[in-house]
Amino acid sequence: MKTAKAMLVGAVLSCALFGVCAAYNLSHQPEKVLVRATAGAGATLWQMVSREMDKAGDKRDIREVLYETVKLNELKSPNLLDVGDVIIIPLEVQK
């Protein structure tokens, strides 16, 4: 009897905690922002995206952001940036 009661209490607590955690996650969704970055001499797309992700606190995998950046900017050759090229980088920041 005690085991069944303990299991019931555990299940109720788990549901309560899950509900709180789910509400926390929903209220802390990252905000999507677009950031402009200008290529300097010798700049690579990887460096530019990495720097902007660090500044914004975007914790995603850099490869995901690179993919989105190439797609958003319609870059045919992401490895060939000229000085002064302006790149739009899609970031996610915590509210």
Side-chain angles (χ1 to χ4, degrees):
M1 184 71 156
K2 286 184 179 181
T3 304
K5 197 174 200 179
M7 289 176 59
L8 179 60
V9 169
V12 169
L13 286 175
S14 295
C15 289
L17 288 175
F18 176 74
V20 169
C21 292
Y24 175 81
N25 286 337
L26 289 175
S27 65
H28 289 84
Q29 292 296 319
E31 179 181 350
K32 296 183 185 293
V33 297
L34 298 175
V35 175
R36 293 171 48 123
T38 304
T44 66
L45 189 59
W46 185 288
Q47 291 168 339
M48 293 171 67
V49 169
S50 177
R51 180 178 53 245
E52 295 303 327
M53 286 179 71
D54 287 345
K55 283 198 267 183
D58 191 329
K59 303 293 185 205
R60 293 179 295 160
D61 187 316
I62 190 170
R63 293 169 294 187
E64 178 183 345
V65 182
L66 283 166
Y67 172 79
E68 291 176 8
T69 302
V70 168
K71 191 173 171 182
L72 177 66
N73 292 278
E74 300 177 351
L75 299 175
K76 302 291 184 236
S77 277
N79 295 326
L80 299 175
L81 296 177
D82 293 323
V83 173
D85 282 352
V86 176
I87 304 296
I88 306 299
I89 304 170
L91 299 174
E92 291 183 0
V93 296
Q94 293 298 322
K95 295 178 186 177

